[in-house]
């Protein structure tokens, strides 16, 4: 039985990149992604289960106490899914926002693109101005 794309998108966000237990994350990686999955973000491109698992671990190690939350519903279009998200300390304003675009082949995610839509200012840099409202 195939996994619905929405379930795969939520597994990507919560069970992999939001999971701090390495054994549970490893199991989620194996059931969610193709063995040769390609993950692309602004920092790097990684390929395969081991590299994806290590990427998630590094992200979580660098952000103790941070959690992911969805910033809207999953959108689908013929094997492509989109999910916007926030990442920050639990119960507080997000520090980073972004989106994942995943491409599914068969019953698993084959490719993940992560785009950042807002990031914290670099040290010594003023916060970005808010977008004007009409």
């Amino acid at each position: 039985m195939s996994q619905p794309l929405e379930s795969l998108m939520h597994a990507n966000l919560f069970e992999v990149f939001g999971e701090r237990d390495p054994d549970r994350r490893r199991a989620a990686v194996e059931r969610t992604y193709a063995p040769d999955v390609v993950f692309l973000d602004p920092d790097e491109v990684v390929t395969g289960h081991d590299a994806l698992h290590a990427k998630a671990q590094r992200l979580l190690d660098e952000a103790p106490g941070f959690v992911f939350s969805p910033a809207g519903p999953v959108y689908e279009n013929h094997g492509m899914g989109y999910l916007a998200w926030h990442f920050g300390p639990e119960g507080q304003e997000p520090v980073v926002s972004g989106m994942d675009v995943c491409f599914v082949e068969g019953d698993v995610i084959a490719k993940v693109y992560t785009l950042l839509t807002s990031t914290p200012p670099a040290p010594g840099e003023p916060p970005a101005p808010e977008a004007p409202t009409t």
Side-chain angles (χ1 to χ4, degrees), residues 62-119:
E62 293 170 2
F66 280 33
V67 296
F68 281 98
S69 60
V74 172
Y75 294 96
E76 301 180 37
N77 184 359
H78 301 280
M80 182 196 77
Y82 162 91
L83 177 60
W85 47 261
H86 299 301
F87 189 57
E90 190 165 10
Q92 298 180 32
E93 289 295 311
V95 173
V96 176
S97 295
M99 66 182 80
D100 292 329
V101 177
C102 297
F103 294 89
V104 173
E105 293 178 7
D107 297 340
V108 292
I109 296 172
K111 192 172 273 191
V112 181
Y113 288 87
T114 293
L115 305 168
L116 302 179
T117 57
S118 72
T119 59

Side-chain angles (χ1 to χ4, degrees), residues 10-91:
H10 283 132
N12 174 68
L13 187 64
F14 299 115
E15 296 175 33
V16 176
F17 284 91
E19 178 56 63
R20 293 191 179 272
D21 180 274
D23 294 330
R24 287 197 299 253
R25 183 181 332 107
R26 171 66 67 185
V29 165
E30 291 176 5
R31 74 174 168 270
T32 304
Y33 306 99
D36 58 348
V37 61
V38 178
F39 175 92
L40 307 93
D41 72 8
D43 295 328
E44 65 182 331
V45 176
V46 300
T47 303
H49 285 176
D50 290 341
L52 186 75
H53 185 272
K55 174 74 176 179
Q57 185 67 56
R58 283 191 309 275
L59 174 73
L60 293 169
D61 287 347
E62 293 170 2
F66 280 33
V67 296
F68 281 98
S69 60
V74 172
Y75 294 96
E76 301 180 37
N77 184 359
H78 301 280
M80 182 196 77
Y82 162 91
L83 177 60
W85 47 261
H86 299 301
F87 189 57
E90 190 165 10

